[in-house]
Amino acid sequence: MTDADNASAADHRHSDTRTIVHVLRHGEVHNPSGILYGRLPNFRLSATGEAQARTVALALADHDITHVFASPLQRAQETAAPIAEKHGLPIGTDANLIEAANDFEGLKVSVGDGALRRPRHWWKLRDPFTPSWGEPYLQIAHRMLAAVNAARVAAAGHEAVCVSHQLPVWTLRRFLQGERLWHDPRNRQCGLASLTSLVYEDDTLVDIVYSEPAGASDPRVTGA
């Protein structure tokens, strides 16, 4: 039995209003240029990403999913599609699930090449705690929590899926765990097509279960 199955397993001690919101990171993206695509349009899943989305849909096929929500970006919508199809559901688009805004969008930002080699960009890195180069972590956490709460209310007593992006998912998790929001991106536990399942009793969060039904991935790999 997978961790996602464990999160969904019936437990007679739980009330009828036990609700699970699966926060799903999208699958691998087709990004041959290796840029930070952020909120740019037309970045679709790669063939691997499409397979990852189908794998997650199979893993969730027997779950009591009544609602599927996704970021408006193409890669999130494509990741949500197989799950919605399996359960005969429409995809609800929620702008609160969108990728974090980033001033380096459209540029290469790998260590040792691209934008980070140019002094004119260095001022953007002056504050890693807010951060200075993009959307504030606290703002990301609050909008993600709003999306999760909306999904929890909609799916009360059942399960919902919210498809989002790595930084928003990880920021949400750290916020819910009471951890500081600034962090080392290399240490994120948020693989491609991974599930961060939030288990609620009524409106109280009682557990967070992480699983990788499509397998592990490196958070530093371009295309993620």
Side-chain angles (χ1 to χ4, degrees):
M1 181 178 287
T2 67
D3 288 339
D5 289 329
N6 288 332
S8 181
D11 185 334
H12 295 304
R13 295 173 299 174
H14 293 310
S15 69
D16 291 337
T17 54
R18 182 174 188 257
T19 307
I20 301 174
V21 180
H22 302 282
V23 186
L24 170 61
R25 183 186 171 194
H26 64 76
E28 183 186 86
V29 176
H30 179 68
N31 181 24
S33 298
I35 67 168
L36 193 157
Y37 39 77
R39 296 180 176 181
L40 294 175
N42 303 321
F43 275 86
R44 59 179 176 82
L45 294 181
S46 66
T48 296
E50 292 172 350
Q52 290 170 335
R54 292 192 297 269
T55 298
V56 176
L58 287 173
L60 295 176
D62 295 331
H63 286 242
D64 183 23
I65 293 169
T66 60
H67 291 77
V68 177
F69 301 97
S71 155
L73 296 175
Q74 183 174 346
R75 58 192 183 271
Q77 295 279 323
E78 290 176 348
T79 302
I83 301 169
E85 184 178 0
K86 272 288 184 198
H87 293 273
L89 298 169
I91 299 172
T93 299
D94 189 336
N96 279 327
L97 296 170
I98 199 167
E99 176 65 282
N102 193 305
D103 291 344
F104 290 102
E105 184 177 276
L107 303 175
K108 290 187 177 182
V109 293
S110 300
V111 175
D113 79 339
L116 299 183
R117 296 181 61 185
R118 301 167 191 160
R120 70 175 182 272
H121 291 301
W122 293 350
W123 71 274
K124 297 176 184 177
L125 305 176
R126 66 192 181 278
D127 173 17
F129 306 109
T130 302
S132 53
W133 58 82
E135 185 179 5
Y137 292 130
L138 189 59
Q139 180 175 309
I140 297 170
H142 285 171
R143 65 172 170 82
M144 287 293 290
L145 187 58
V148 165
N149 282 337
R152 175 182 58 80
V153 171
H158 305 279
E159 301 179 40
V161 175
C162 291
V163 186
S164 188
H165 309 264
Q166 187 191 58
L167 177 56
V169 176
W170 185 238
T171 302
L172 171 69
R173 179 171 166 185
R174 293 183 69 86
F175 181 81
L176 292 173
Q177 294 177 165
E179 300 172 350
R180 60 173 170 75
L181 300 184
W182 60 273
H183 60 276
D184 184 341
R186 296 170 297 180
N187 296 331
R188 293 172 184 165
Q189 188 184 46
C190 190
L192 289 164
S194 62
L195 291 166
T196 300
S197 300
L198 309 177
V199 184
Y200 290 88
E201 289 294 339
D202 296 322
D203 59 354
T204 301
L205 180 67
V206 297
D207 200 8
I208 299 176
V209 179
Y210 178 76
S211 59
E212 296 178 336
S217 62
D218 187 336
R220 298 167 296 180
V221 173
T222 300

